[in-house]
Amino acid sequence: MDDSPRKIIHIDMDAFFAAVEQRDNPKYRNKPIIVGGKPDSRGVVATCSYEARQFGIHSAMPSSHAYRLCPQAIFVRPRFAAYQEASEIIRSIFARYTELFEPLSLDEAYLDVSHSLLFQGSATLLAKQIKEDIRRQTHLIASAGISYNKFLAKIASDLGKPDGLYLITPRQGAEFAESLPVGKFHGIGRATEQKMHELGILTGKDLKQQPLPVLQQHFGKSARYYYDIARGIDHRSVNGRRIRKSIGVETTFEEDIADPATVTRHLQQLLQKTLAKLREKNLEAYTLTVKIKYQNFVQVTRGKTLSQPISDNSSTQLLVTELLKNTAIGEKKVRLLGVTLSGLRGRGSSHGFQQMDLFDRV
Ligand code: TTP
Ligand code: MG
């Protein structure tokens, strides 16, 4: 097997939604632009131009707060169709250079260019070319990070922003990983970050000092990944066009369940778990299927496809209840329950319009 380092590029557009707005409306250029909810609503900032960032404004901040920081900022409603269109163009550019690209959202993707012969195998020059293609075809600016694995390539694209082209070589990788606050590691979310802080693990260096068994004790299956990334090691592959069909979780009970409310509660929990897995993989799903195995081992499934991605809200809870209507729950005891989500798509790659309520919580 070829054991030379891989060549991974992470591309991430600069101030994506805001940049599209500045491109399409010349009067917005060089000005603080905020895309998202209106300042007088309970909405939030989706993103803002770099001019607005100078005032301390950032994604997910309440729009009212952003207004206080910069009253002269221009508030713009999101136009998802325009972002989608730009996203499709950048994906078509990636496809020109490698089959192995994995979009993470509308404005972001990993590319594995290990086997490219272009530019005498220089991934940095190839990344530069991709940036130029993006600029020429979309009039938007991308930042690129280049490294030997996904985790460091993503760190690198962030380090060079805006208009970045940043390389982390195999020799530099471990040192970079040590210097990072753990919250910056891809795959370490808020909760894990907090837990690490409680254990006195603040940086990659602190993480590196933890023996694997100790990490396993606190973080279970994820321990190995954390152990590796603290050393600049990340074996995750770039998942090209391979589309996963479904994702699910099921559980067999020690004692069969008779009570319908308990069945519903278990299904809700399984759904939460499945949704968490889906989020980890940056996917969204449109079909929910529940599986029930009765005490007598007879198994039934009930499913429904929605027009919006399935999320963790009250209508999904109602859906679970609805799916149970035509079953023998309450009459027969249940030995196993399962939840499967299918009809998967990359998160953010869909219509995006459903995200509206994220910006405007009036
Ligand atoms: P990001 O790449 O996180 O942000 P960005 O492209 O605006 O800025 P940067 O230069 O730092 O990369 O997200 C891409 C787009 O996704 C962003 O333009 C708007 C949208 N988005 C939201 O709608 N809500 C959010 O909380 C975030 C972080 C992004
Ligand atoms: Mg971006």
Side-chain angles (χ1 to χ4, degrees), residues 10-17 47 50 53 105 107-108 141 143 161:
H10 179 254
I11 298 278
D12 188 304
M13 305 298 289
D14 294 340
F16 184 48
F17 293 2
T47 194
Y50 277 79
R53 290 182 197 196
S105 65
D107 90 321
E108 201 185 338
I141 311 284
S143 286
K161 264 180 186 297

Side-chain angles (χ1 to χ4, degrees), residues 45-60:
V45 174
T47 194
C48 60
S49 64
Y50 277 79
E51 292 83 357
R53 290 182 197 196
Q54 286 174 4
F55 293 86
I57 299 168
H58 56 77
S59 294

Side-chain angles (χ1 to χ4, degrees), residues 6-11 90-104 108-116 126 130 150 236-243:
R6 289 179 295 157
K7 294 173 193 168
I8 311 293
I9 299 174
H10 179 254
I11 298 278
I90 64 169
R91 287 182 193 179
S92 73
I93 294 169
F94 302 151
R96 231 184 264 158
Y97 296 102
T98 176
E99 279 236 306
L100 270 182
F101 71 90
E102 178 184 347
L104 295 178
E108 201 185 338
Y110 289 112
L111 288 74
D112 185 332
V113 298
S114 307
H115 302 293
S116 169
L126 179 51
I130 292 171
K150 283 174 139 181
R236 287 173 305 154
S237 56
V238 173
N239 299 317
R241 304 247 172 100
R242 186 184 62 89
I243 306 288

Side-chain angles (χ1 to χ4, degrees), residues 133-151:
D133 288 0
I134 291 176
R135 191 192 304 249
R136 190 166 36 82
Q137 284 186 244
T138 66
H139 304 284
L140 297 168
I141 311 284
S143 286
I146 305 107
S147 198
Y148 57 94
N149 62 38
K150 283 174 139 181
F151 147 62

